[in-house]
Amino acid sequence: MMTGLQANHFNAGYPRKKIITDLSIPRLSRGEITVLLGPNGSGKSTLLRSLAGLNHATGELLLDGQDLMKQPFAQRAKSVVYLPQSLPAGVHLHVLESIVVAQRASGGSQTEKGEAEVMALLQQLGISHLALSYLDQLSGGQKQLVGLAQSLIRQPSLLLLDEPLSALDLNYQFHVMDLVRKETIKRNIITVVVVHDINIALHHADHVLMLQSGKLIADGKPDEVITPESLAQVYGVRGRIERCSQGRPQVLIDGLVEHPMS
Ligand SMILES: Nc1ncnc2c1ncn2[C@@H]1O[C@H](COP(=O)(O)OP(=O)(O)O)[C@@H](O)[C@H]1O
Ligand SMILES: [Mg+2]
């Protein structure tokens, strides 16, 4: 059987506005991190929400050969988890409770084993000291880490993370990407992450999708997709990709592409 995620002629948007048009993704493999890149407003959040069944969409979306578009929402929600850019505010729940709720909602165990799993996850994320803090009293970055814990505990096959690093300091950005990679491999899941930092994509992604105005304009390995040409086309910047002293590719931005008309 063909495992992984495939999209064919996928369209998504809002009642009066098509955003994602005729998008086809040949394959995202299990055990791999895909970074979704694209400028503001290019449709990244719309695409992720649509993959999760949270936005209107048409087309075919195959997860291990099964069409998610044909599944009732409750069934689809068992295999697909979407972590939004910002968590809903004002929930007066303990961190620990909120993760246990997520665990039970997805049919997870209600036993001591289940609790041990939650505590182990908090430890891995470096937030076990926050277990008894209230969600509405956390910093933005702490909330993102809790959101990640809530997503992972639900044991999805397809994990969709919308800008999970935006409120994190440098140390945690690296830590979270490293953890997401390890969990993606260990759980053999398909992870799609929106990040803005091109260097994070170069270092941590197995696969990169580049979106522009709702269209997929590049799809492949990071160093195939992230090129001076695509950076100019999609972001309007003049960039170089050079090897650092340790041999890893780095993006350097020299300026903006000059438009003769402006
Ligand atoms: N609820 C909505 N109703 C109508 N249009 C929306 C809605 N949410 C987003 N859009 C529009 O969809 C386009 C893509 O937005 P979005 O998917 O949030 O982009 P990105 O995440 O790449 O910044 C934008 O033009 C935005 O204005
Ligand atoms: Mg977005």
Side-chain angles (χ1 to χ4, degrees):
M1 186 189 57
M2 178 90 148
T3 63
L5 185 80
Q6 278 177 287
N8 296 311
H9 305 296
F10 194 75
N11 296 279
Y14 305 97
R16 288 165 186 280
K17 214 161 156 192
K18 282 188 182 172
I19 304 292
I20 303 297
T21 49
D22 199 27
L23 178 134
S24 291
I25 303 172
R27 189 152 93 105
L28 304 182
S29 302
R30 280 183 175 265
E32 288 192 355
I33 297 191
T34 296
V35 165
L36 176 60
L37 292 176
N40 294 328
S42 57
K44 302 180 297 295
S45 297
T46 303
L47 176 59
L48 291 199
R49 280 199 302 266
S50 312
L51 296 178
L54 300 168
N55 260 12
H56 178 73
T58 60
E60 196 177 51
L61 188 62
L62 303 175
L63 175 62
D64 300 339
Q66 301 286 318
D67 194 350
L68 292 174
M69 302 293 283
K70 294 187 175 144
Q71 294 182 359
F73 182 77
Q75 188 186 351
R76 181 164 171 175
K78 286 200 176 120
S79 47
V80 187
V81 164
Y82 170 70
L83 178 64
Q85 253 168 285
S86 47
L87 292 177
V91 192
H92 198 64
L93 262 187
H94 283 134
V95 166
L96 189 62
E97 284 173 307
S98 78
I99 298 168
V100 170
V101 167
Q103 186 184 38
R104 295 196 180 153
S106 62
S109 64
Q110 309 198 4
T111 57
E112 278 171 29
K113 185 167 161 276
E115 274 166 44
E117 191 194 349
V118 172
M119 282 314 295
L121 186 57
L122 289 178
Q123 207 118 46
Q124 258 184 314
L125 284 162
I127 51 171
S128 48
H129 61 291
L130 297 177
L132 297 179
S133 304
Y134 284 103
L135 283 182
D136 53 4
Q137 292 168 359
L138 300 179
S139 75
Q142 291 169 334
K143 269 189 215 148
Q144 278 186 330
L145 295 170
V146 173
L148 190 59
Q150 291 169 353
S151 305
L152 284 169
I153 208 76
R154 289 170 58 190
Q155 307 209 319
S157 295
L158 175 58
L159 176 64
L160 307 167
L161 306 173
D162 202 346
E163 300 195 30
L165 309 180
S166 58
L168 300 180
D169 64 40
L170 275 180
N171 180 297
Y172 265 102
Q173 288 188 13
F174 198 92
H175 177 65
V176 163
M177 285 309 287
D178 202 44
L179 180 101
V180 167
R181 161 181 292 280
K182 286 185 183 133
E183 292 303 310
T184 298
I185 295 170
K186 190 170 102 194
R187 297 165 187 237
N188 197 29
I189 61 177
I190 303 150
T191 300
V192 183
V193 191
V194 175
V195 300
H196 277 298
D197 188 327
I198 309 272
N199 282 315
I200 288 199
L202 274 172
H203 289 175
H204 296 272
D206 299 303
H207 198 110
V208 175
L209 301 175
M210 215 183 247
L211 209 58
Q212 182 181 34
S213 306
K215 290 199 183 308
L216 189 62
I217 66 130
D219 167 13
K221 298 216 177 308
D223 58 349
E224 295 165 1
V225 169
I226 300 166
T227 61
E229 293 74 28
S230 69
L231 293 175
Q233 183 191 340
V234 174
Y235 292 99
V237 296
R238 283 187 291 119
R240 281 174 285 148
I241 289 103
E242 296 192 350
R243 300 263 158 198
C244 74
S245 60
Q246 297 181 352
R248 291 201 295 188
Q250 296 275 334
V251 172
L252 301 149
I253 305 301
D254 293 319
L256 303 181
V257 173
E258 284 166 32
H259 293 285
M261 298 302 289
S262 58

